[in-house]
Amino acid sequence: MQQKYQARFAQNNADMGMVQALRGRVFRGSGPDFDRFDPHCQHMMIFDSRNGQLACVFRIQPFANGAAIKQSYSAQFYELSGLQDYPGKLVEMGRFCIDPAYNDPDIL
């Protein structure tokens, strides 16, 4: 049985253009969506295996430890000092969006 979706990280400028275009359609209505955090993140792309269409994107920003969390997107809006002394690695996931043409919980 063929998988409905395939996932991979964005690998080049063309991929990032597709990521930012989908985010723009979902979050803004048109135009690309990008910010200063994009270059520091890995961008996951979920494709429909049946037609190759980009169905979903989200980004992942890794942090070496809790002290680095102040560099996160979330730190602009939330008080995260409780994580400051955490010694392990952390990751922030965000800008999650699904193309409105896809109404399929399997994407998640």
Side-chain angles (χ1 to χ4, degrees):
M1 181 171 146
Q2 181 183 8
Q3 297 290 325
K4 286 200 294 190
Y5 300 102
Q6 295 180 342
R8 69 172 175 82
F9 286 113
Q11 300 169 356
N12 53 43
N13 288 338
D15 285 351
M16 282 307 300
M18 292 176 14
V19 165
Q20 292 170 343
L22 177 56
R23 289 183 353 204
R25 284 196 316 274
V26 172
F27 297 139
R28 302 181 188 286
S30 66
D33 174 75
F34 58 90
D35 62 23
R36 65 184 175 96
F37 297 94
D38 277 347
H40 306 287
C41 297
Q42 295 175 304
H43 299 266
M44 180 59 68
M45 305 172 77
I46 313 293
F47 292 91
D48 185 329
S49 297
R50 298 164 292 186
N51 59 20
Q53 183 78 22
L54 182 61
C56 173
V57 298
F58 62 92
R59 69 183 181 191
I60 300 169
Q61 185 173 8
F63 298 101
N65 53 47
I69 199 73
K70 62 185 169 212
Q71 305 297 322
S72 71
Y73 177 87
S74 297
Q76 300 175 98
F77 307 102
Y78 301 101
E79 203 288 298
L80 302 175
S81 65
L83 296 170
Q84 185 81 13
D85 295 329
Y86 184 77
K89 295 179 181 180
L90 297 171
V91 64
E92 177 183 55
M93 296 173 60
R95 303 309 282 166
F96 190 100
C97 64
I98 299 173
D99 186 309
Y102 288 86
N103 187 18
D104 184 354
D106 286 346
I107 292 174
L108 301 176

